[in-house]
Amino acid sequence: MHVPIRDPETSTVANDSSGFGILAGVLIPGRGQPISKAALIVKDDIIEWVGPESEIPAQYQTFGFSRIPVLMPGMWDVHTHFMGADIVAPVTNFVPSFLPGTAALIGAVTVDDLRATLMAGFTSVRELGGYAGDVFPAVEKGAIVGPNVYSSMGILGITGGHSDIHELPLSTVKHGCSLGVPTQVCDGVDGCTSAVRQMVRRGAKVIKICSTGGVLSLNDQPEDSQFSPAELRAIVEEAARSSRVVASHAIGKNGIMAALDAGVKTIEHGMYVDEEVISKMKEKDAILVPTRHIVEGLAAGAEDLPPKVRVKVERLLQLSRDSLKLAVKRRLKIALGTDTFSSDRKHAISHGKNAKELLYAIEAGMLPLEAIEMATAIPPETLGRQARRAGQLRAGYDADMIAISKSPLENIEILTNPDNVTHVWKAGVLYKSPPVSFV
Ligand SMILES: [Zn+2]
């Protein structure tokens, strides 16, 4: 069939208002093999048809069509934090978050961080503690521009654990939690059950916990286990009653294994992943979120970190490289997550640089097509039943798509430069297109 081609900005071709088509030199579906000379039809906010250009059904003849080189699903980052870090205070200092007015300042900064994330080709993010969950209703209402946000709202951890702020009086931390600071301490089975309910009440789509100590928290170690087995089980069971899955910050092996035994769905960071962990993850259908980007980003600026933090980063750097390499070799299910949380565009881990995680996956042995699946088709699985039908270019899926100027299958680095992401559609709405030049 003959279809009229239009440029998205300059078109005068009559367009069926409820739908449009895209002709792609190469269409990467997210899962499965790429299709060359492909076409994709969008009706309202949903992908209605995908196939070879030569087989476009006749009923779409009245639609306007654009021609682009490469089309793929919008990418996902399943481990982000929108906290205004480096604008409000350095990434290593969470204390100012507890001062009156700071939440509004962070919210203001988050508006541009969400925009930068979408313009970099990320149409969905999972936020594992942060303020984007509070800001997201403005995205849904169209007041500001950003990706779909699936937030945990707060981060649950034990008193003295990774989600505690060790520099502040405990009463201040607990007061902060009640005011919406995205961190929460909870202890004992009853306390943990109640904390999950509080997060669901605030709008959490996933529950984030810490089953080990961390890098940026002062008085614990990444190898420490946090929460008892009974507390972990209580959290997973309570989350499941509301159809939420649990994501666990888990670095040391004991804390990873305890989280998996309790039924946690995603292991965040996982620097001590070994053969035994991989067997257990496969048995439980758990997903690894390696966050290599933050480890490399912090290591690159190690001289500016507080000494206690620097020692931990240096200890974990090679471990994180090795664990991802092993996970790729054993074909473990892996989703793209960066732990991006700086709002300073000059910082290595600032919002909008999320695609850098793809480079580390390739370095660890993934093929480009597998790395793209890690960024598109797999991520919705990290949300259980809370995810929209998205992440693949298939009929019936959300029309979340990006156009790329050159094929990332030849060089994955193409995706790390937002300038190469020429178009971004979310739910069928075009949010980014090449600038029009006037002569
Ligand atoms: Zn994180």
Side-chain angles (χ1 to χ4, degrees), residues 106-167:
I106 297 173
V109 173
T110 294
V111 171
D112 197 56
D113 287 340
L114 289 171
R115 185 200 57 78
T117 304
L118 185 68
M119 295 306 144
F122 285 77
T123 50
S124 296
V125 295
R126 204 173 59 145
E127 180 188 45
L128 299 182
Y131 290 87
D134 292 317
V135 173
F136 185 54
V139 176
E140 284 184 296
K141 289 196 167 75
I144 62 171
V145 165
N148 291 314
V149 177
Y150 299 90
S151 184
S152 72
M153 310 307 280
I155 305 171
L156 312 187
I158 61 169
T159 297
H162 180 50
S163 76
D164 198 349
I165 310 295
H166 303 174
E167 306 90 307

Side-chain angles (χ1 to χ4, degrees), residues 79-81 128-129 155 162 208 249 268-269 291 294 338-341:
H79 192 135
T80 61
H81 303 279
L128 299 182
I155 305 171
H162 180 50
K208 164 75 179 296
H249 159 104
E268 312 295 316
H269 317 304
T291 67
I294 191 169
T338 57
D339 216 352
T340 289
F341 68 112

Side-chain angles (χ1 to χ4, degrees), residues 8-71:
E9 288 76 33
T10 56
S11 169
T12 52
V13 175
N15 194 5
D16 182 317
S17 60
S18 68
F20 63 92
I22 300 168
L23 306 176
V26 180
L27 181 147
I28 303 168
R31 181 163 285 157
Q33 288 305 309
I35 311 170
S36 43
K37 294 203 177 103
L40 178 144
I41 307 289
V42 175
K43 194 127 192 264
D44 301 320
D45 51 353
I46 302 291
I47 297 168
E48 189 158 286
W49 187 87
V50 180
E53 186 183 332
S54 55
E55 294 174 19
I56 301 171
Q59 73 257 37
Y60 303 121
Q61 207 145 20
T62 54
F63 284 14
F65 280 77
S66 321
R67 191 180 284 283
I68 49 118
V70 182
L71 187 69

Side-chain angles (χ1 to χ4, degrees), residues 166-326:
H166 303 174
E167 306 90 307
L168 290 173
L170 187 56
S171 56
T172 307
V173 174
K174 289 192 168 169
H175 183 61
C177 303
S178 67
L179 295 177
V181 172
T183 184
Q184 176 109 357
V185 289
C186 53
D187 301 286
V189 165
D190 290 349
C192 291
T193 303
S194 170
V196 172
R197 291 175 185 169
Q198 288 170 48
M199 290 305 129
V200 171
R201 182 176 188 270
R202 277 177 56 189
K205 299 287 186 241
V206 54
I207 301 300
K208 164 75 179 296
I209 64 166
C210 306
S211 64
T212 72
V215 173
L216 297 181
S217 38
L218 279 187
N219 298 323
D220 62 1
Q221 293 301 326
E223 293 80 3
D224 296 346
S225 295
Q226 299 185 347
F227 285 125
S228 68
E231 288 170 324
L232 290 170
R233 268 196 314 276
I235 290 168
V236 173
E237 284 171 16
E238 187 56 36
R241 285 182 196 108
S242 302
S243 300
R244 265 72 168 178
V245 297
V246 178
S248 186
H249 159 104
I251 296 177
K253 183 172 172 181
N254 290 343
I256 295 176
M257 294 299 268
L260 291 169
D261 282 332
V264 157
K265 183 70 183 169
T266 64
I267 295 297
E268 312 295 316
H269 317 304
M271 281 79 160
Y272 284 87
V273 162
D274 63 8
E275 296 282 3
E276 197 187 353
V277 169
I278 288 175
S279 303
K280 171 99 45 191
M281 289 186 75
K282 287 191 167 183
E283 177 197 320
K284 299 272 186 180
D285 195 28
I287 301 168
L288 178 67
V289 181
T291 67
R292 291 275 299 111
H293 180 49
I294 191 169
V295 183
E296 296 288 343
L298 289 178
E303 64 282 357
D304 300 329
L305 295 171
K308 273 187 175 181
V309 174
R310 192 169 65 225
V311 171
K312 297 184 198 180
V313 169
E314 284 164 358
R315 186 165 79 239
L316 296 175
L317 181 60
Q318 192 56 43
L319 283 166
S320 98
R321 290 174 182 154
D322 295 344
S323 71
L324 179 57
K325 217 178 202 169
L326 184 66

